[in-house]
């Protein structure tokens, strides 16, 4: 039996936000952590990045929050500015239907804007230990009413020498708070920290499985947005495509792209939510019977597509989430066949591809476009 987001006891507005983000089912760590955190228990979680741990601790926090109380109710400590910003952005996104405010604070930038944001009222603060401590000591940040504290990537924070800062920060929060600690490894120092600051934490360990199949060759091509169509056409000219599924972000994008390809001599059809059930079936039948070799689809429209013979998957746009990438790429290389998954990547998206690689534990080769 699989658990659904609706089974976890979360506020419907949160379920709506994650569903709209493209999450269909909770990951194992979410299934384990969310109900436990909702009961108020402490958590000692061993999990790496890529398991979905951010949503695992964020959703219960957002569920328990009462917006607009005028004081900080939850605090997340993260080792780096980059991770802190990612967590803050994810929380703001999951909480978009609740009137909550998330403020990120981190070193290496001026204090002014961060202090201003705190003064305007933060329900949740996400920050790196050094800057958090500075703000506490200068009385710009009051943690006396915090209900939940999360230590994210605790082993990283310790290896960066933040232990004293972390302890000093924890001492500024109420003793009866809920504490959740996440770490890829649990060395002694972390266990000691847990013994000292947590109350009978529930231990949760999540292994991360290999996500994508190794028989799928994955390549990415660096192109500017406006050159994507030319790049795709070029790849169509050289790749040994027997049938291809192209993913595009929007419905309109699928229709336009199908037209552009057709005009260029590669007959293609769009599969999107604008089609009636009957039209959808017809398109799929033509694809199965090899009357058309190329489908351009949105993620939603491709859901439940049961076709084994796709030689090439194209990401015309890099998906927002690692899990969606996995779903897309997994459309090829089925039934023991080899497959190729090609991604058109804009320079700005390179960091997102790196996250996807981490999640999949599989490298995507950066390749040069073939010249004519
Ligand atoms: P994290 O381990 O929190 O860094 O998450 C890794 C990636 O998985 C991020 O791209 C998340 O947006 C994505 N993700 C988290 N939970 C889910 C879910 N239930 N379904 C699909 N993707 C998810």
């Amino acid at each position: 039996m699989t658990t659904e987001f609706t089974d976890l006891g979360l506020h419907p507005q949160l379920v709506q936000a994650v569903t709209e983000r493209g999450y269909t089912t909770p990951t194992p760590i979410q299934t384990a952590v969310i109900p436990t955190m909702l009961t108020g228990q402490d958590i000692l979680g061993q999990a790496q990045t890529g398991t979905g741990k951010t949503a695992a601790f964020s959703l219960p926090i957002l569920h328990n929050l009462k917006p607009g109380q005028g004081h900080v109710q939850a605090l997340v400590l993260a080792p780096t500015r980059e991770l802190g910003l990612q967590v803050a952005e994810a929380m703001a996104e999951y909480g978009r239907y609740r009137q909550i405010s998330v403020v990120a604070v981190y070193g290496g930038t001026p204090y002014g804007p961060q202090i201003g944001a705190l003064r305007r009222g933060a329900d949740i603060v996400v920050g790196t230990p050094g800057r958090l401590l500075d703000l506490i000591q200068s009385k710009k940040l009051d943690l006396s009413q915090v209900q939940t504290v999360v230590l994210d990537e605790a082993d990283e924070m310790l290896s960066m020498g933040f232990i004293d800062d972390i302890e000093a920060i924890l001492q500024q929060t109420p003793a009866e708070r809920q504490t959740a600690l996440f770490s890829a490894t649990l060395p002694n120092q972390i266990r000691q920290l847990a013994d000292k600051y947590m109350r009978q934490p529930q231990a949760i360990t999540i292994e991360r499985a290999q996500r994508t199949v190794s028989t799928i060759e994955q390549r990415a091509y660096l192109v500017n947005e406006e050159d994507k169509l030319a790049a795709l056409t070029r790849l169509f000219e050289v790749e040994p495509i027997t049938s291809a599924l192209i993913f595009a972000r929007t419905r309109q994008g699928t229709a336009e792209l199908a037209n552009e390809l057709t005009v260029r001599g590669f007959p293609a059809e769009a599969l999107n939510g604008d089609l009636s059930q009957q039209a959808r079936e017809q398109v799929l039948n033509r694809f199965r019977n090899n009357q058309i070799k190329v489908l351009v689809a949105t993620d939603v429209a491709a859901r439940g597509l049961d076709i084994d013979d796709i030689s090439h998957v194209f990401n015309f746009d890099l998906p927002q989430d690692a899990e969606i990438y996995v779903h897309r790429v997994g459309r090829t290389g089925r039934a023991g066949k080899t497959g190729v998954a090609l991604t058109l990547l804009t320079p700005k998206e390179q960091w997102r591809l790196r996250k996807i690689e981490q999640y999949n534990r599989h490298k995507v080769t950066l390749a040069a476009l073939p010249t004519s």
Side-chain angles (χ1 to χ4, degrees):
M1 210 191 91
T2 55
T3 308
E4 304 290 329
F5 274 108
T6 44
D7 301 331
L8 296 176
L10 290 167
H11 200 289
Q13 287 172 330
L14 297 173
V15 176
Q16 184 185 353
V18 293
T19 307
E20 284 176 9
R21 179 134 186 196
Y23 300 178
T24 46
T25 47
T27 65
I29 196 171
Q30 290 160 4
T31 307
V33 165
I34 291 171
T36 314
M37 259 183 94
L38 285 176
T39 68
Q41 227 191 318
D42 284 1
I43 303 254
L44 182 59
Q46 185 171 8
Q48 284 160 323
T49 160
T51 49
K53 67 180 160 64
T54 314
F57 65 72
S58 299
L59 293 170
I61 288 177
L62 292 163
H63 178 95
N64 286 330
L65 209 84
K66 292 182 191 62
Q69 296 287 296
H71 58 253
V72 180
Q73 296 168 63
L75 174 72
V76 180
L77 276 72
T80 61
R81 161 200 170 123
E82 214 178 37
L83 183 70
L85 279 171
Q86 271 172 31
V87 170
E89 277 163 18
M91 288 182 120
E93 170 99 17
Y94 304 143
R96 56 196 286 220
Y97 295 117
R98 316 208 65 201
Q99 256 61 56
I100 54 123
S101 100
V102 186
V103 171
V105 300
Y106 42 83
T109 49
Y111 284 82
Q114 296 178 4
I115 292 172
L118 291 174
R119 198 174 294 137
R120 284 190 293 278
D123 300 308
I124 303 172
V125 172
V126 183
T128 49
R131 177 60 62 106
L132 281 169
L133 196 58
D134 284 352
L135 290 164
I136 293 168
Q137 284 168 347
S138 59
K139 304 253 181 286
K140 305 293 187 227
L141 176 60
D142 175 9
L143 299 178
S144 62
Q145 301 197 61
V146 163
Q147 285 156 9
T148 302
V149 174
V150 176
L151 305 176
D152 195 12
E153 307 206 349
D155 50 355
E156 287 291 318
M157 290 199 282
L158 294 196
S159 67
M160 291 166 80
F162 280 136
I163 182 71
D164 293 340
D165 290 3
I166 292 173
E167 294 204 40
I169 293 166
L170 286 173
Q171 281 154 16
Q172 297 299 315
T173 63
E176 63 278 9
R177 64 167 190 271
Q178 175 182 44
T179 313
L181 182 154
F182 294 91
S183 192
T185 57
L186 294 181
N188 256 337
Q189 223 189 347
I190 299 241
R191 294 189 187 277
Q192 283 161 8
L193 190 71
D195 285 344
K196 198 163 164 191
Y197 291 98
M198 298 171 83
R199 277 167 298 154
Q200 285 131 30
Q202 171 82 44
I204 291 172
T205 303
I206 299 293
E207 296 289 337
R208 192 174 46 173
Q210 190 102 19
R211 299 290 180 142
T212 43
V213 203
S214 51
T215 52
I216 303 172
E217 184 187 340
Q218 298 171 51
R219 276 179 264 145
Y221 296 89
L222 210 53
V223 287
N224 291 320
E225 193 64 47
E226 62 273 21
D227 299 328
K228 278 186 172 177
L229 181 61
L232 184 68
T233 312
R234 187 70 198 116
L235 288 169
F236 263 78
E237 287 162 3
V238 297
E239 286 290 324
I241 294 172
T242 54
S243 67
L245 181 58
I246 305 175
F247 285 96
R249 224 184 319 260
T250 61
R251 290 180 199 183
Q252 200 193 351
T254 59
E256 278 170 18
L257 196 53
N259 280 338
E260 300 277 12
L261 283 169
T262 305
V263 170
R264 283 168 175 71
F266 305 104
E269 290 198 32
L271 187 70
N272 64 39
D274 290 339
L275 299 181
S276 67
Q277 187 57 32
Q278 194 190 358
R280 178 186 155 91
E281 280 308 317
Q282 284 168 354
V283 171
L284 287 179
N285 277 333
R286 283 199 292 278
F287 191 62
R288 279 197 197 94
N289 305 335
N290 246 325
Q291 289 164 288
I292 36 166
K293 296 203 321 187
V294 185
L295 271 191
V296 189
T298 56
D299 290 297
V300 176
R303 226 173 258 168
L305 203 75
D306 57 338
I307 296 175
D308 278 341
D309 272 344
I310 295 169
S311 70
H312 286 67
V313 165
F314 287 87
N315 290 312
F316 191 74
D317 299 302
L318 187 69
Q320 202 72 30
D321 281 301
E323 191 67 33
I324 296 177
Y325 178 90
V326 176
H327 281 145
R328 289 183 178 185
V329 165
R331 301 290 177 179
T332 178
R334 289 206 171 174
K337 299 198 173 79
T338 56
V340 180
L342 305 179
T343 298
L344 300 182
L345 189 71
T346 62
K348 274 202 226 144
E349 291 169 332
Q350 288 188 72
W351 66 273
R352 222 198 295 154
L353 184 68
R354 277 198 296 277
K355 278 216 77 171
I356 291 175
E357 290 179 324
Q358 282 175 2
Y359 182 75
N360 294 337
R361 292 199 187 147
H362 193 294
K363 230 174 134 53
V364 178
T365 315
L366 211 52
L369 272 175
T371 47
S372 28

